[in-house]
Amino acid sequence: MFLTELFGVFSLSAFVVWGMLMAFFFNVFVYTLGVKRKTTLLLSSFIMATSYMAGDFLFTWLSPVPATYLDWALYDVVTIVFLVSSYFVFKKTTPSFLYLIIGLSINTTLFLLMYLDLFIYGNTQPWFFWDIYSFGVNIVDLSMIVALIVDCDFLGLNKFKTFIHNSLKTHKLA
């Protein structure tokens, strides 16, 4: 957990929550300008900001039991459900939507693996996977913040999805 030791637990989590809030406020501004009104962008950024605020270290002090990796995985699963539900309501999305779904899925997987490692297997000694978790979750969180703000396919995930979809479609016809 190199990043946590370097920056501290609260500063990293507060930075990510702050980033999600800024992405939401930016999207409120874009929405009021009328640039992107018929998409899930505003609702997606609201869902993400709310989820990250609810699951943040700063807000878990209200709970009598400390939050575990399983709790954070459940927060992400619930967030995915809300995002997918918003898609079914609007029927139209933006490039950032795929980044959020993939990012939350990666985070959920990493949270579940950390829970398995610490609470099921009982590992207490840091090892290589803990660093992968630490860097992975934070990089994914930052990329989701960037995706909400710039709202473009900056890593090519949407192009890759289209390529895979078209490849599978042509193989079914053959």
Side-chain angles (χ1 to χ4, degrees):
M1 309 271 195
F2 173 75
L3 289 178
T4 304
E5 293 170 4
L6 184 64
F7 294 109
V9 173
F10 294 110
S11 63
L12 276 176
S13 64
F15 178 73
V16 171
V17 171
W18 176 82
M20 290 294 178
L21 281 171
M22 291 303 107
F24 170 65
F25 291 142
F26 175 77
N27 286 317
V28 167
F29 177 70
V30 169
Y31 183 83
T32 58
L33 290 177
V35 177
K36 294 202 178 205
R37 285 194 180 240
K38 296 181 180 178
T39 64
T40 59
L41 184 61
L42 179 64
L43 186 57
S44 295
S45 61
F46 173 74
I47 290 169
M48 292 299 292
T50 305
S51 172
Y52 272 71
M53 283 177 50
D56 186 42
F57 289 108
L58 299 175
F59 295 98
T60 56
W61 63 272
L62 295 173
S63 174
V65 180
T68 64
Y69 295 102
L70 185 59
D71 296 329
W72 293 322
L74 293 175
Y75 276 122
D76 284 353
V77 168
V78 169
T79 306
I80 291 171
V81 168
F82 275 104
L83 287 171
V84 170
S85 299
S86 72
Y87 170 73
F88 286 120
V89 169
F90 284 94
K91 301 284 189 216
K92 190 173 182 184
T93 189
T94 61
S96 64
F97 187 79
L98 182 63
Y99 283 80
L100 298 178
I101 298 297
I102 290 174
L104 288 169
S105 300
I106 291 170
N107 280 355
T108 301
T109 303
L110 290 171
F111 289 142
L112 290 174
L113 290 173
M114 280 299 289
Y115 180 80
L116 181 73
D117 187 47
L118 291 172
F119 294 99
I120 306 299
Y121 293 143
N123 289 337
T124 57
Q125 296 298 319
W127 63 291
F128 182 66
F129 174 68
W130 290 15
D131 291 329
I132 291 172
Y133 162 81
S134 181
F135 282 102
V137 166
N138 289 304
I139 289 170
V140 166
D141 285 344
L142 291 175
S143 66
M144 287 190 294
I145 292 168
V146 169
L148 283 171
I149 292 171
V150 299
D151 194 38
C152 67
D153 192 15
F154 63 95
L155 294 177
L157 292 180
N158 287 302
K159 289 179 185 173
F160 183 68
K161 178 192 82 165
T162 304
F163 172 76
I164 295 295
H165 185 265
N166 290 339
S167 296
L168 292 175
K169 193 185 298 185
T170 57
H171 285 297
K172 283 184 181 179
L173 296 176

